[in-house]
Amino acid sequence: MRKLFVLCAAATMAFPSVLSADMAPRDVVFGELGQVPTPLTDVPGDAEAGFTAATTRGIGNCVACHVAKGWEDKPFPGNVGPELTGIANVYDEAQLRGILVNSKKSFPGTVMPAFYNLDDIIRHGEAYTGKAAKSLDVTIMTAQQVEDIVALLKTFTEPLPK
Ligand code: HEC
């Protein structure tokens, strides 16, 4: 374990730019409304990858709590949170990113997880095994997964049916 750590540290020093162009979770700056104007990565979000992240149980699992047009055939469409159809007409990119990074900044006390945050998280154990989580310094989603889902949500321009 220690050997691995030394190795990783050495690699980080040798190739800093290769390993991390991502903004660190604790460096994210929020606006007054909880918005995050600066992208978390240098790589633009990919809506298709965002769809996978949003509808996969081990990643974003947005479908557990939200429904949206295009997510109908995903198992367990959720009704905990509001429908996301047309959400691009409600929030701009910065606000959507802020909601994903740490929803508590936009909606204090919400049950929605803070996906790119190390402090406002309720630590669940290691996926239903009853063991403690492996590391306390891991966000639920990667910076790129957040950007991918932001890209996906920006395509949700169709208005909510009345
Ligand atoms: C555990 C349930 C839960 C999960 C999982 C969840 N959300 Fe939410 N979400 C909520 C709730 C509840 C709200 C409403 C905010 C509040 O609590 O007042 C919300 C609000 C939102 C909003 C603002 C909607 C509006 O109309 O104002 C967006 C956008 C959103 N969620 C996107 C997502 C995305 C994308 C994911 C997956 C990465 C996700 N959520 C995962 C529960 C969840």
Side-chain angles (χ1 to χ4, degrees), residues 54 60-66 71 80-84 87 90-91 96 99-100 107 109-113 115 141 149 153:
N61 201 18
C62 316
V63 290
C65 295
H66 295 280
W71 292 359
V80 177
E83 174 161 4
L84 298 181
I87 202 69
V90 181
Y91 298 112
L96 289 172
I99 292 171
L100 290 180
F107 313 114
T110 184
V111 297
M112 178 165 159
F115 286 101
M141 289 203 284
I149 295 183
L153 295 180

Side-chain angles (χ1 to χ4, degrees), residues 15-126:
F15 311 107
S17 58
V18 176
L19 277 184
S20 182
D22 295 355
M23 193 182 307
R26 290 191 175 106
D27 291 343
V28 177
V29 177
F30 293 85
E32 237 167 75
L33 304 172
Q35 73 274 37
V36 175
T38 313
L40 306 178
T41 68
D42 296 339
V43 181
D46 171 44
E48 213 171 297
F51 176 79
T52 305
T55 57
T56 301
R57 192 146 136 189
I59 311 179
N61 201 18
C62 316
V63 290
C65 295
H66 295 280
V67 290
K69 196 166 188 313
W71 292 359
E72 295 86 354
D73 63 338
K74 292 293 159 188
F76 317 118
N79 52 11
V80 177
E83 174 161 4
L84 298 181
T85 305
I87 202 69
N89 309 320
V90 181
Y91 298 112
D92 64 10
E93 178 181 318
Q95 194 72 56
L96 289 172
R97 182 178 295 109
I99 292 171
L100 290 180
V101 168
N102 186 353
S103 51
K104 328 286 181 202
K105 302 271 189 190
S106 297
F107 313 114
T110 184
V111 297
M112 178 165 159
F115 286 101
Y116 194 66
N117 179 277
L118 295 171
D119 304 307
D120 288 343
I121 280 185
I122 299 163
R123 287 285 161 195
H124 299 291
E126 171 94 24

